[in-house]
Amino acid sequence: MAIVGAFMVPHPPLIIPDIGRGGEMEIEETTRAYNKVADMVAELEPETIIITSPHATMYADYFHVSPGNAATGSFDRFGAGNVKFLEAYDMELVSQIESIARKQDFPAGTLGEVDRELDHGTMVPLWFIRRKYKGGNIVRIGLSALPLTEHYRFGQIIQKAVDKLGRRAVVIASGDLSHKLQEYGPYGYAPEGPVYDQKIMDVCSRAAFKELFDFEEGFCERAAECGHRSFVIMAGCLDGVRVSATKLSHQDV
């Protein structure tokens, strides 16, 4: 098989009812879109759910892939320790990714895990998906400070590993957009914030992934974007694939 679907999703803890406690109603449009994503994942029935997260273990010059056979996590740090996860890893696919990376002398693998617990960038998407679909093991992948071209290349390696094993997989590119959209927000406002959001939504809704490389690093920093590298890995996973993109939601509250 192959990568049969890919989804860009945000990960605000507020969207989980046990955390938002009513505040999640402010982003109801995003909740509806997330449920639609979960429905589509369930329809695709993947054997593996590959999640790229800005909040997994991250190094400046190395892409970390979570090791082991499984991991647990909860939203305890957000006041909802009752919401817990136990996720099995697709160890065979992790091993294949690591093997291909080694052969290509590419800096990726399972070394140096900092925190075995699942991060919220992984758990928020899984909270929605697991309500609709219980099947499939996961692969959790961190980002790096390496150039965008290397993130794309890593996506190509992931694609090659999936193809080699004949996995039926989906990619969940977890990442918020700009954190500087509103004066009252925790990060404040920057004029680059809404510009980044408009631009990234335009590029990805057209599946014009080559244009992801046109985002200047300083501009992205000023916009305080979260998921750009995650989206570039996703694009690499879809290298050479004819893509039909659909925009489900964008909220800048």
Side-chain angles (χ1 to χ4, degrees):
M1 296 299 292
I3 293 172
V4 294
F7 305 89
M8 290 169 55
V9 296
H11 50 245
L14 172 73
I15 203 170
I16 307 302
D18 288 77
I19 299 172
R21 298 175 183 176
E24 71 277 7
M25 298 305 295
E26 296 179 18
I27 50 174
E28 188 174 3
E29 177 187 327
T30 302
T31 297
R32 289 196 298 269
Y34 236 132
N35 283 320
K36 178 64 175 176
V37 167
D39 285 335
M40 289 189 284
V41 170
E43 289 172 10
L44 291 169
E45 297 185 329
E47 298 169 282
T48 305
I49 301 168
I50 301 165
I51 303 177
T52 58
S53 171
H55 300 286
T57 297
M58 179 175 176
Y59 289 102
D61 57 356
Y62 183 78
F63 292 94
H64 185 267
V65 184
S66 294
N69 62 349
T72 59
S74 78
F75 286 117
D76 183 62
R77 63 177 290 226
F78 300 102
N82 58 304
V83 184
K84 300 179 180 180
F85 298 81
L86 171 59
E87 292 290 336
Y89 286 130
D90 185 339
M91 294 186 292
E92 190 177 12
L93 181 54
V94 169
S95 179
Q96 188 63 234
I97 292 170
E98 197 167 29
S99 175
I100 294 172
R102 189 181 306 114
K103 289 175 183 177
Q104 295 188 13
D105 196 26
F106 186 84
T110 56
L111 300 175
E113 184 170 51
V114 174
D115 187 356
R116 188 170 182 80
E117 292 287 304
L118 296 174
D119 62 285
H120 75 274
T122 299
M123 292 187 292
V124 169
L126 284 174
W127 186 86
F128 284 94
I129 291 169
R130 291 313 190 198
R131 295 169 73 207
K132 308 278 187 172
Y133 183 66
K134 304 298 185 184
N137 295 338
I138 73 167
V139 172
R140 181 170 65 136
I141 292 172
L143 313 181
S144 84
L146 290 166
L148 293 179
T149 51
E150 296 302 277
H151 286 73
Y152 192 91
R153 185 181 168 198
F154 190 35
Q156 292 175 304
I157 289 172
I158 295 167
Q159 181 195 63
K160 185 174 181 180
V162 168
D163 290 346
K164 190 165 185 178
L165 291 181
R167 282 290 191 273
R168 182 177 179 86
V170 297
V171 175
I172 306 295
S174 179
D176 296 328
L177 303 188
S178 171
H179 284 313
K180 292 194 173 185
L181 297 175
Q182 306 289 353
E183 292 284 359
Y184 56 78
Y187 300 90
Y189 172 82
E192 292 85 356
V195 175
Y196 176 85
D197 274 32
Q198 186 278 326
K199 188 174 180 181
I200 196 72
M201 291 303 295
D202 171 62
V203 166
C204 291
S205 65
R206 293 185 287 110
F209 297 135
K210 183 179 179 181
E211 295 178 29
L212 288 170
F213 299 103
D214 296 339
F215 288 69
E216 191 265 330
E217 185 174 345
F219 167 75
C220 288
E221 289 178 359
R222 292 189 296 275
E225 60 79 20
C226 170
H228 199 88
R229 288 171 171 79
S230 196
F231 309 148
V232 174
I233 293 177
M234 179 195 74
C237 289
L238 299 172
D239 184 65
V241 176
R242 186 182 295 275
V243 175
S244 175
T246 302
K247 174 184 173 182
L248 296 178
S249 172
H250 173 259
Q251 287 187 280
D252 60 355
V253 296

